[in-house]
Amino acid sequence: MKRKFMALALAAAMTVSMTSAVFAADKIESADDLEGKKIGVQLGTTGDTLATDVKDATVERYNKGNDAVLALKQGKVDCVVIDSEPAKKFVEKNDDLEIIENVFDKEEYAICLSKDNADLTKEFNDALKGLGDEGTLDSIRDNYIGDDAGKTPYETPKDADHSKGTLTMATNATFQPYEYYDGDNIVGIDVDIAQAICDKLGYELKVEDMEFDAIVNAVKSGKADFGAAGMTVTEDRKKSVDFTDPYTTAEQVIIVQK
């Protein structure tokens, strides 16, 4: 009986050891661990591009980052690859999730404009430089990110002249803190930066919400004057649109279940 008990105990220990080894092998801690996994992404984003390049991975594409995160919580995907700042917002609201950082290279966000409107691109670059020199860009970012969030809201100058007409901004308002809904209004870092640019250049700003994957085509076709949506500058996108100088840097991270 004693020998039988010891045999059962040994078998149980081996099972636990083997199970732990499987869990360890499945644990995602780096980009290499994504191989063969089921990865959730938002359609058309940098995360989509990175996940597509992963060997033997299955990429599940969603129109909204929130839908990808929900799929992770439901066990439909193994992880989500997404931009760092929206990832932080998702994890803040879901204590069963965590972020794996320092996995991918840094990237640059910029505003995209039509290749047929080089003059407007130059105006935007001049405005961005001025806003940077004045500290306005830093103030806008600080109002949404960090310890001073909510303390430095952007306000249109009282003497702003908007007589040059209206510029339409194409965005995807599911990307907090860059663009998202606050009630019926679309707010966020990109919206405030766009408003500050329009204030400086003499335009009214109109914001149009659409799927992220439609933004470049909207700008290219003239349905929108520019696109701002936490958009990474890539060689592929540069074939279709022009970009301003970068206004911030970001990185892709991996969200996993704890």
Side-chain angles (χ1 to χ4, degrees), residues 8-225:
L8 289 171
L10 179 60
M14 290 178 65
T15 300
V16 170
S17 177
M18 290 173 65
T19 302
S20 298
V22 170
F23 285 156
D26 285 344
K27 190 172 183 181
I28 297 173
E29 297 179 327
S30 69
D32 291 338
D33 297 329
L34 295 176
E35 185 174 326
K37 296 296 192 295
K38 186 176 287 188
I39 307 171
V41 299
Q42 184 177 4
L43 178 66
T45 62
T46 303
D48 186 352
T49 302
L50 290 172
T52 300
D53 291 337
V54 175
K55 183 180 179 182
D56 297 329
T58 300
V59 182
E60 298 291 341
R61 297 176 174 85
Y62 301 87
N63 286 326
K64 299 177 181 179
N66 186 62
D67 292 340
V69 172
L70 180 60
L72 172 62
K73 290 172 66 67
Q74 295 173 339
K76 295 179 179 179
V77 297
D78 299 311
C79 64
V80 173
V81 176
I82 196 168
D83 297 67
S84 59
E85 292 304 329
K88 292 175 185 176
K89 296 298 181 181
F90 288 130
V91 171
E92 283 176 9
K93 300 172 183 176
N94 297 276
D95 57 11
D96 57 334
L97 303 179
E98 63 181 346
I99 295 173
I100 309 300
E101 298 180 293
N102 303 317
V103 176
F104 302 105
D105 293 335
K106 296 283 186 181
E107 57 197 58
E108 296 177 325
Y109 286 172
I111 298 168
C112 69
L113 298 99
S114 171
K115 286 183 173 294
D116 296 328
N117 206 342
D119 289 342
L120 187 60
T121 301
K122 183 180 183 307
E123 287 187 72
F124 267 53
N125 278 331
D126 291 343
L128 282 170
K129 185 179 186 309
L131 293 168
D133 292 343
E134 296 162 7
T136 302
L137 294 182
D138 288 339
S139 178
I140 288 173
R141 278 193 293 269
D142 290 345
N143 190 55
Y144 292 93
I145 299 172
D147 296 336
D148 292 328
K151 296 180 181 179
T152 57
Y154 176 77
E155 295 183 2
T156 294
K158 294 181 179 179
D159 61 349
D161 175 14
H162 299 138
S163 60
K164 291 172 67 174
T166 300
L167 292 180
T168 299
M169 165 183 161
T171 194
N172 176 240
T174 63
F175 200 62
Q176 191 175 358
Y178 287 93
E179 38 272 319
Y180 61 99
Y181 278 97
D182 182 8
D184 294 330
N185 299 316
I186 300 175
V187 300
I189 294 172
D190 285 338
V191 181
D192 284 357
I193 290 176
Q195 184 62 65
I197 290 172
C198 287
D199 290 341
K200 189 172 281 290
L201 297 182
Y203 294 98
E204 293 281 356
L205 174 65
K206 179 182 179 182
V207 181
E208 291 281 353
D209 185 20
M210 61 186 68
E211 299 297 343
F212 184 87
D213 202 37
I215 293 173
V216 168
N217 283 335
V219 173
K220 183 179 178 180
S221 66
K223 292 180 180 178
D225 296 293

